[in-house]
Every structure is written in structure tokens, then in C-alpha cells.
Amino acid sequence: MTPDRRSRGRRALAAAEAHFSAAAPDRATELATVAELCPLSPLDRARLARLRARILFARSRSDEAAPLLLDAAAQFTAAGSPLARETYLEAISATIFAGRVHGPAGARAAAIAARASGAPPSGSEAADLLLDGVAALLTDGYETGVPALRGALELLATEELPTREATVRWLLLVPVALEAFIHYAWDLHAWDTLSNRAVRLARDIGALGALPPALVYAGGVHIHYGDFAEADRMIDEADALAAATGHAPHKYATLVLAAWRGEADVASGIIEEARQRADQRGEVSLLGAMGYIQGVLYNGLARYEEALEAARTGIEHDGFNFAGLSLIEHIEAATRCGELDQARASLARLVDLTRAADSGWAGGAAARSRALLADGEEADRLYRAAIVEFERGGVTVEVARSHLLYGEWLRRTHQRSLAREHLRTAHEMFDGMRAHAFAERARRELLATGEHVRVREAAVTSALTPQESQVATLAAGGMTNAKIGAELFISPHTVEWHLRKVYTKLGINSRRALPGALASTPPPGRDDEGLVRAG
């Protein structure tokens, strides 16, 4: 209704940005089209280009978004806008997400372009430091880049956000740090602080577009803490919100959780489904992450040759964010397969990656990987150091795994009494997490030491999530997995994944027992903030 076309264009663009922030991409696209038909200033043209790239990336994780963001960043620079540096950060993150690091269209080229652009300060010290740290990591290497990145993460966690606009801009920066670069800082505490702050701020201002990825990042932290139930809850809420708002789902945390749980048949189906969808969307970084994900799965199942091959694909992939974690899996699998040259080569790379990160996670990863290739007192010292370092870093799943590997080594070196102590700890920790494959691996090792181990009986561990409740109700009514999937817009593999979790929580082992178990189960409740979780 605005008669002046210039004013109409500016207002339509502002409204489109607001709708995108509120997770209404269809309406944002309509308003962006209105703005495009009006006379716009060079700065507003850059804002429009950035918005279209964001919408494309949110809907499909398409690798087409990165060059569009780079072009928008160049336009902002030409207009002297402080938005240039933030947009370069988004472009670099999108490029890494698309799986391109090297080459003329890769993340390193984008980082070099950002450095050479002469873009003005953004007005946010955290944003400027983050771009400096990311560019240093990509162009100068780990020794220079990791300390700069850690400084930026610390500032991001504490920066004052006086206005809603500042909060929205902060929420756009967090995915850059957490999706692409947190694993290079090896800092679970920073990951926890940033992701939980992002969840809280997104809820506070109603930024539904930013909430699903923030929940997924927070869920990833809980996986490493060994709190699989809380990770599950957050991932379910993120999936429900993404489906309701038309955003592409974030599959990384779901796949990592499936791998750590170690339910081979269900996890394999989910992983294969995700691989096919990543191929269709051009989401190459997910294919690279599969090396780590399948490495965890197959190492837990003691299928070391498969773990070796999977982890090798991860470390050879032209990706960025999961390379260090893939190396950890590759080293364990290679030592178990007798491929010691491969293990030593990966250890050298891992030491290079962790050296600059002064964290317990980094120290534990390096110490335990060294221990796998060591003997005698040196191996003993390194395994003990790994446990201490992982505890310092708060990485509970790796603390349990270090007890397992140390106990296995002690048994092989005929120190049965001490082996039982560490294997028992590993079994209790993994069993409590419901990390089934690793718990079973620890149980078998304990049996080999002569100790009898009781198998934990299924028990109710927590209330069903809303989506689990929906799946269980439909299954109890006689629907097949395929029909349930069609009803809820999820795949049959995902239906089976939810049913396995339902069986564990209800203490049953078949569909036939569902009606009776559901009759005595309370409905899903509200979350910690009094908000009903969507299903």
C-alpha cells in the first residue's frame, strides 16, 4: 500500500528479513520478490542478495548459496557497509558446509578474498575477531588460527547484546563458529556455552529460524557429555520445528547419536538414507562427516576393517569440520587391523591438529591415540593421561572409551585385576548412557578376564518425546513403518529408530506390547522453559 516505489522496496525488504528470521521462508521469498521489482540502493541490493542466499541455504543446504553470499559480501564492501564482514563469514561457513575447502571456489579462497577486501569493521568486536580467526585458520594454519579462533569464541560467549537487532546478528554468527570451526578449537565448554546461549536467545526473541540449529548444536554437546536422552529431546524438537517451518533438517547430531548408541541395523539405515539425501542436495560436508560417524559405529561394534575404510574416507575428504574426529577413529581401527603405518600417518596429522588447542579434549585425543601405538610403561602413562585430559575437557563419552581401551590393553598385557577395574568403569558408563555397542564390547572384555557381568534389564529411562509418542501410538494402532512415515513425513528408517527408543524407554521389546505400555505412560510434558515441544 506504500505509493512511493522506493519506500515500498525498502519496507518489503525489511519485512522479508523479519519473516526469514521468524522462520517463514515462503512469505520472505514473496516479499523479496516485491522488493526486487522496486528501485533499490546498492546497499539494499546487497541485502536482498544476502537474503536470497540465506533462504536457499536454509531450505536445501545447497552448495549454490556460498557464491551468492560471496557476491553479496563484495557488494557490501563496495557500499562501505559493516555487514560485509559478517557476510564473508557466512559465505565461508556455507562453502565449508558444501564440502569445498580447496580450489578457486573453496573456503580458503573465500578467506583470502575476505582478507583482501578491505571490508570496514562490522561494529561487533566478536564478529571481527571471528573472521580474523577463521581466515587465519584457513590461510595461515593451526598454530596461528586456533588461538585467534579461541579468543573469538570467548568473546562471542560474553559479548553484550543491547538490542534485538544485535541479538539477531549474533545468532547468525554462531552457526559459523559451531558448524564449521568448533572442532578445531577442541573446546566442549565453549560449544556448550555458545549453543545454550543461542537456544535461550532464539527463544527469547522468537527467532524460529535460528532455534532448530541452536537446539542441534546443544544436542551435540549432550552427546559428548554422555546424556543421550537430553540430546534426543533437543534433536526431536529441532526436527519438529524444521519440518514446521520448511527448513532443511540438520542431520549431523541424529547420525552421531545413532552411531554412539551402536544399534547397527537402525543406524546403518539412517546413515544410508542421509547419504542419499546429501548426494541429492549437494551437501558434500555431510558425506565427509560420515567417516567419523561410521568410524564410531563400527569401532563400537568391533568391526574394525569397516571402521578403517569409513574413517579413511573421512580423512581423505576435502572437508573441514570433522577431520580431526575421523583421524581418532582411523587410528583406533588401523591399530586393531595391524595397519600401523596408516595409524602413524594419521597420528602425525592429529598431533598437528591438536597441538595449538590447549584443551582437555585435544590433550586426551592426542594422548590416547599415542597410547594405541605405544608399549610398556609409555602406553600405561599415556592411557592414564588420556583419562585425566578427557575428564578435564568434560568429554564423558571419551572418558568411558579411554577406560575401555586402557582395560583392553591391560588385559592383553596380563594385568587382569587392573583391567577389570577399568573395564567395569567403562561398562557401567556406557551402559548408563545406553551406548549399546561400546557397552557390549566392554562386557565381552570383562568376561574374558573371568568376571561375570549381568545384562541390564530394560527399564523406563525417561518420558517419551512428542514425536516418539506419535510414532508409538500409530504403531500400537497397527500401522506399518511405511504408513507411519507417510503420515508424519519421515522415512521408515526414522520410524524404526524412534520405535527402538520407545521400546527401551517403556521396557518392552515388541509392537505387541505397545498398547498396554502406552496405557500406563503419561503424555509428553513441557520443556524446562514451559514451552510445549512440537512433535
Side-chain angles (χ1 to χ4, degrees):
M1 296 176 66
T2 305
D4 179 68
R5 293 182 67 242
R6 291 183 181 275
S7 298
R8 187 188 313 156
R10 287 195 301 272
R11 289 174 178 175
L13 177 57
E17 291 171 332
H19 277 284
F20 177 71
S21 176
D26 290 341
R27 183 58 177 151
T29 299
E30 293 171 5
L31 289 163
T33 301
V34 172
E36 194 169 30
L37 297 174
C38 299
L40 295 175
S41 68
L43 177 58
D44 286 339
R45 286 284 171 194
R47 287 171 57 197
L48 181 61
R50 184 191 193 193
L51 176 62
R52 287 202 177 280
R54 283 176 172 170
I55 293 172
L56 178 64
F57 188 70
R59 279 178 161 165
S60 66
R61 303 288 169 209
S62 170
D63 60 356
E64 298 174 3
L68 297 178
L69 285 165
L70 277 174
D71 182 62
Q75 292 181 51
F76 280 129
T77 300
S81 170
L83 295 176
R85 293 175 68 84
E86 293 178 15
T87 310
Y88 272 119
L89 272 170
E90 288 182 278
I92 292 169
S93 179
T95 303
I96 288 174
F97 204 97
R100 293 200 305 266
V101 177
H102 301 282
R108 286 194 173 93
I112 292 169
R115 274 186 162 180
S117 67
S122 68
S124 164
E125 186 182 357
D128 293 340
L129 276 179
L130 184 58
L131 179 58
D132 291 342
V134 164
L137 191 64
L138 285 164
T139 59
D140 298 336
Y142 311 124
E143 294 292 335
T144 301
V146 170
L149 178 62
R150 287 174 66 87
L153 294 176
E154 184 177 341
L155 187 57
L156 268 177
T158 57
E159 187 177 42
E160 291 292 327
L161 303 171
T163 65
R164 186 184 189 282
E165 180 184 3
T167 301
V168 170
R169 292 174 68 186
W170 186 92
L171 286 169
L172 290 170
L173 291 177
V174 169
V176 178
L178 295 184
E179 274 185 6
F181 297 102
I182 192 67
H183 291 123
Y184 279 77
W186 298 92
D187 192 337
L188 189 58
H189 298 307
W191 185 354
D192 189 5
T193 300
L194 285 171
S195 60
N196 278 288
R197 190 183 190 197
V199 169
R200 185 179 69 254
L201 291 173
R203 290 195 196 281
D204 287 347
I205 68 170
L208 293 182
L211 184 54
L215 285 164
V216 168
Y217 305 146
V221 173
H222 284 281
I223 293 172
H224 290 290
Y225 283 160
D227 188 350
F228 292 177
E230 182 63 9
D232 224 358
R233 185 191 74 78
M234 291 182 163
I235 294 166
D236 271 353
E237 184 180 357
D239 286 347
L241 286 169
T245 57
H247 284 198
H250 291 68
K251 285 295 182 185
Y252 291 85
T254 298
L255 297 170
V256 172
L257 182 57
W260 276 102
R261 279 192 161 134
E263 296 172 336
D265 50 348
V266 179
S268 296
I270 293 174
I271 288 169
E272 184 54 36
E273 177 197 351
R275 186 192 301 280
Q276 291 174 4
R277 291 189 177 181
D279 275 328
Q280 293 168 1
R281 291 196 303 263
E283 192 178 328
V284 182
S285 68
L286 182 55
L287 300 177
M290 290 298 182
Y292 161 62
I293 292 164
Q294 291 183 296
V296 170
L297 175 64
Y298 292 130
N299 274 328
L301 293 165
R303 289 158 54 177
Y304 298 116
E305 290 186 359
E306 291 168 272
L308 179 67
E309 183 58 32
R312 185 190 293 122
T313 64
I315 63 178
E316 291 175 352
H317 183 265
D318 181 25
F320 201 76
N321 41 2
F322 285 90
L325 299 179
S326 294
L327 287 168
I328 293 171
E329 301 306 322
H330 186 253
I331 293 164
E332 180 174 337
T335 56
R336 292 296 188 253
C337 293
E339 298 288 349
L340 300 186
D341 288 342
Q342 286 192 44
R344 292 187 186 101
S346 288
L347 177 61
R349 287 185 59 185
L350 181 65
V351 168
D352 190 36
L353 282 177
T354 56
R355 185 183 296 114
D358 180 20
S359 75
W361 194 353
R368 193 180 72 205
S369 297
R370 282 192 174 108
L372 285 164
L373 285 159
D375 295 307
E377 292 183 3
E378 178 70 2
D380 189 90
R381 182 187 66 79
L382 287 167
Y383 278 122
R384 290 180 179 276
I387 293 169
V388 170
E389 287 294 311
F390 280 130
E391 286 176 341
R392 178 168 74 94
V395 196
T396 306
V397 289
E398 297 294 0
V399 173
R401 194 163 168 184
S402 298
H403 279 292
L404 171 59
L405 286 164
Y406 187 26
E408 289 175 336
W409 178 81
L410 288 166
R411 187 182 71 80
R412 289 197 305 273
T413 55
H414 309 294
Q415 301 178 65
R416 288 197 169 194
S417 176
L418 192 55
R420 288 191 194 100
E421 176 185 330
H422 289 278
L423 291 170
R424 194 180 302 118
T425 298
H427 182 262
E428 290 172 356
M429 292 179 73
F430 282 131
D431 198 38
M433 296 173 199
R434 299 299 191 268
H436 304 294
F438 282 107
E440 175 60 18
R441 186 171 141 188
R443 189 184 74 86
R444 289 196 305 268
E445 287 288 329
L446 273 169
L447 290 174
T449 68
E451 178 162 322
H452 176 69
V453 185
R454 286 179 54 188
V455 178
R456 179 197 291 260
E457 294 183 1
V460 176
T461 57
S462 62
L464 300 183
T465 67
Q467 189 157 50
E468 289 168 358
S469 182
Q470 285 183 304
V471 169
T473 300
L474 294 174
M479 273 195 178
T480 65
N481 286 2
K483 288 184 177 180
I484 295 171
E487 178 78 14
L488 301 180
F489 302 101
I490 56 180
S491 75
H493 285 306
T494 303
V495 172
E496 181 64 21
W497 167 243
H498 283 303
L499 283 174
R500 288 296 185 91
K501 293 185 291 182
V502 167
Y503 296 161
T504 298
K505 289 182 177 183
L506 299 183
I508 60 177
N509 56 20
S510 72
R511 286 176 182 247
R512 291 191 300 275
L514 272 173
L518 289 175
S520 60
T521 302
R526 295 173 178 266
D527 67 17
D528 294 339
E529 308 200 15
L531 300 173
V532 176
R533 296 194 299 275

